Amino acid sequence: MIRIRDISLPPEHDANQLVYEASRLLRISASRIRRLQLVRRSVDARKKPDVRIIYTVDVAVDGSENKVLKSSGCKKAALAPASFYKPPKREYHSENRPVVVGFGPAGMFAGLLLAMAGLKPIILERGEDAATRHQKVQHFFETGELDTTSNVQFGEGGAGTFSDGKLNTGVNNPRIGWILEQFVKAGAREDILYDAKPHVGTDVLLTVVQNLRQRIISLGGEVRFCTQVTGVLTDNGAVSGLRTNRGEITCDQVIFAIGHSARDTFRMLNDLGVPMEPKPFAMGVRIEQKQSVIDKAQYGTNSLPLPPADYKLVRHLENETVYTFCMCPGGYVVAATSEEAQIVTNGMSNADRDGENANAALLVSLNPADFPYDGVLGGMLWQEEIEKMAFRHTGSYCAPVQKVGDFLAGVVSTGPGEVKPTYRPGVYWTDLHQVLPEKITRALAEALPQLEQNLTGFASPDAVLTAPETRSSSPVRIIRGEDRQSALKGLYPAGEGAGYAGGIMSAAIDGMMAAEALLDTLK
């Protein structure tokens, strides 16, 4: 096929215009284009309000592609690269079935690859299946009654299930296209295959993760819910089994894809002597604005048929970096704690992103030297301290919130302005300087006016800050070698919780590569 880059069309275009523009660039009749496949679609708003939709497409043509390319002289066109990922074949055998701990993106795609290889993996998930988990999460949002085993952090699909389901990543990896295809086969919309910033949406992800589980089971795998690993059995420096709340499992190959909130598991591994280290991470708040304000700022207009606008902002200060993360257009701020008497925030949006507000994590970079606690788990202990302090401050799971204008003025907020907070089960108006460490509030106060200069309306006086956002990534890294194994042989740390990923896609890739490393030992 022929790949054509940078096809620019107005937002009101239809599919036929894309075909005709491709034929014009190739200098052939549109009737000679037998098939057109979208490779990438993005929005270019650099010359607002003249917003354009930019496409990269692959086309199959009648006749020789080389001749068409030569006669067209089009500098935007070239032969499409033949780059694709080949999953393992069902030709592997092992005396003991491999075990995957955790059924988030890393564990799910590690389990899928092992099942495709014929190894019938056992997957252990401390939380519940997605349908039951959804009911428990909604109950918490409505009543403030938390289930510590099934919540926004734990359960089928991991923390990513209750998020925007963003699948964009800064990683360039041949596995990305294959992962996107698996999501589509499991029920995600096909536009994730070519959107520059693909997202699935929480409402759709709840079905997708269940379909991926059924596929693993159909290939001989097994998923055991409400099964928490409480210990690792060893023999001569290697894994010999796992201790769980439902009994022991004999195994010599285990992928640990535990997620960034499995604090009891981090403690267990540390007590076992598994090499770990503290790693840089970030904490801060969730910030909410009107989505219509963000659309106007990014596009210069609200009258065009364009998707809800997003943003990604960063400001480098003298000692810290303040940046936005996990931006959710048309989304909601959610209660994301997994432990009693602690408050944690996160963001989510559904597939249509049709909520009134935009929200994003607004984070301050932190290094191990900043942690008030020493040792491998120093960052984790700091997280816990802040989350407990927030709960004590409000006296419930209602999150502490403040308007940006009041935060910058150092006065207590008493209620909302134009932006209504979306956090459930409720909010507590206060002064966030009383909740968050001075290092974080100082950096946020310095960065907010500067970020407003980058994006009008981002830090408007009525924008809402909800605290604390503490679990953007793992504060711990489980050290592994080039073979992706820990010093404890047979233990493969993987994904975001192990400190090697930062989102759904990168976690899925890391889980796959852990499974591939395990398969290499069986060749």
Side-chain angles (χ1 to χ4, degrees), residues 6 59 133 447:
D6 299 330
V59 295
R133 180 189 182 196

Side-chain angles (χ1 to χ4, degrees), residues 158-174:
T161 300
F162 287 90
S163 71
D164 191 57
K166 285 175 284 293
L167 302 179
N168 52 303
T169 176
V171 176
N172 185 12
N173 191 288

Side-chain angles (χ1 to χ4, degrees), residues 94-101 119-124 222 224 227 229 231-235 238-244 246-255 490:
S94 176
E95 184 176 342
N96 294 318
R97 295 169 70 182
V99 175
V100 178
V101 180
L119 290 179
K120 300 181 180 180
I122 299 171
I123 303 173
L124 309 179
E222 179 183 354
R224 300 179 186 177
T227 305
V229 172
V232 180
L233 306 176
T234 64
D235 183 20
V239 173
S240 61
L242 296 174
R243 187 180 297 113
T244 80
R246 298 195 169 192
E248 294 185 358
I249 299 173
T250 299
C251 64
D252 51 20
Q253 304 267 32
V254 55
I255 295 175

Side-chain angles (χ1 to χ4, degrees), residues 77-139:
L79 290 177
S83 174
F84 56 92
Y85 173 78
K86 292 183 179 180
K89 297 180 180 179
R90 296 179 64 85
E91 56 188 18
Y92 292 85
H93 304 279
S94 176
E95 184 176 342
N96 294 318
R97 295 169 70 182
V99 175
V100 178
V101 180
F103 201 44
M108 187 170 290
F109 278 87
L112 178 58
L113 245 62
L114 294 177
M116 294 177 76
L119 290 179
K120 300 181 180 180
I122 299 171
I123 303 173
L124 309 179
E125 169 54 51
R126 65 192 296 164
E128 295 180 287
D129 64 276
T132 305
R133 180 189 182 196
H134 181 250
Q135 294 175 357
K136 296 286 183 69
V137 168
Q138 292 302 316
H139 180 75

Side-chain angles (χ1 to χ4, degrees), residues 9-233:
L9 294 174
E12 311 86 29
H13 74 276
D14 59 30
N16 289 332
Q17 284 179 266
L18 190 56
V19 174
Y20 285 120
E21 184 63 14
S23 65
R24 185 188 70 81
L25 289 169
L26 294 178
R27 296 185 180 181
I28 60 175
S29 165
S31 62
R32 290 187 60 187
I33 295 181
R34 293 186 287 107
R35 182 161 61 95
L36 182 146
Q37 179 177 308
L38 295 182
V39 176
R40 184 178 176 86
R41 178 178 65 188
S42 61
V43 178
D44 183 358
R46 290 174 296 178
K47 298 179 180 179
K48 59 179 74 72
D50 182 23
V51 181
R52 308 289 291 183
I53 309 299
I54 308 300
Y55 290 96
T56 297
V57 300
D58 286 349
V59 295
V61 299
D62 284 331
S64 166
E65 289 92 346
N66 285 318
K67 287 183 179 180
V68 169
L69 284 171
K70 185 176 181 179
S71 61
S72 72
C74 179
K75 295 181 179 180
K76 296 181 179 180
L79 290 177
S83 174
F84 56 92
Y85 173 78
K86 292 183 179 180
K89 297 180 180 179
R90 296 179 64 85
E91 56 188 18
Y92 292 85
H93 304 279
S94 176
E95 184 176 342
N96 294 318
R97 295 169 70 182
V99 175
V100 178
V101 180
F103 201 44
M108 187 170 290
F109 278 87
L112 178 58
L113 245 62
L114 294 177
M116 294 177 76
L119 290 179
K120 300 181 180 180
I122 299 171
I123 303 173
L124 309 179
E125 169 54 51
R126 65 192 296 164
E128 295 180 287
D129 64 276
T132 305
R133 180 189 182 196
H134 181 250
Q135 294 175 357
K136 296 286 183 69
V137 168
Q138 292 302 316
H139 180 75
F140 175 50
F141 290 169
E142 293 167 5
T143 67
E145 297 175 359
L146 175 68
D147 188 323
T148 57
T149 62
S150 220
N151 44 62
V152 169
Q153 302 294 348
F154 298 142
E156 184 172 26
T161 300
F162 287 90
S163 71
D164 191 57
K166 285 175 284 293
L167 302 179
N168 52 303
T169 176
V171 176
N172 185 12
N173 191 288
R175 297 166 184 80
I176 290 175
W178 187 84
I179 293 171
L180 293 173
E181 289 173 0
Q182 309 320 302
F183 274 112
V184 171
K185 289 178 181 179
R189 299 192 301 203
E190 287 193 5
D191 58 15
I192 69 171
L193 296 174
Y194 50 80
D195 267 343
K197 298 177 180 179
H199 80 284
V200 180
T202 294
D203 50 340
V204 176
L205 268 174
L206 288 165
T207 298
V208 168
V209 296
Q210 295 179 74
N211 288 339
L212 285 169
R213 183 225 311 167
Q214 292 302 325
R215 185 175 175 198
I216 291 171
I217 293 172
S218 72
L219 292 168
E222 179 183 354
V223 181
R224 300 179 186 177
F225 293 111
C226 301
T227 305
Q228 180 179 351
V229 172
T230 58
V232 180
L233 306 176

Side-chain angles (χ1 to χ4, degrees), residues 381-431:
L381 295 174
W382 197 15
Q383 284 179 323
E384 287 183 319
E385 178 186 274
I386 294 171
E387 294 166 12
K388 291 176 180 178
M389 184 184 303
F391 186 89
R392 288 195 301 269
H393 187 80
T394 68
S396 71
Y397 289 111
C398 292
V401 299
Q402 189 174 19
K403 292 187 290 187
V404 166
D406 293 340
F407 176 78
L408 294 176
V411 299
V412 174
S413 288
T414 57
E418 291 187 358
V419 181
K420 305 298 188 294
T422 57
Y423 178 97
R424 292 188 296 161
V427 299
Y428 181 91
W429 293 97
T430 187
D431 179 3

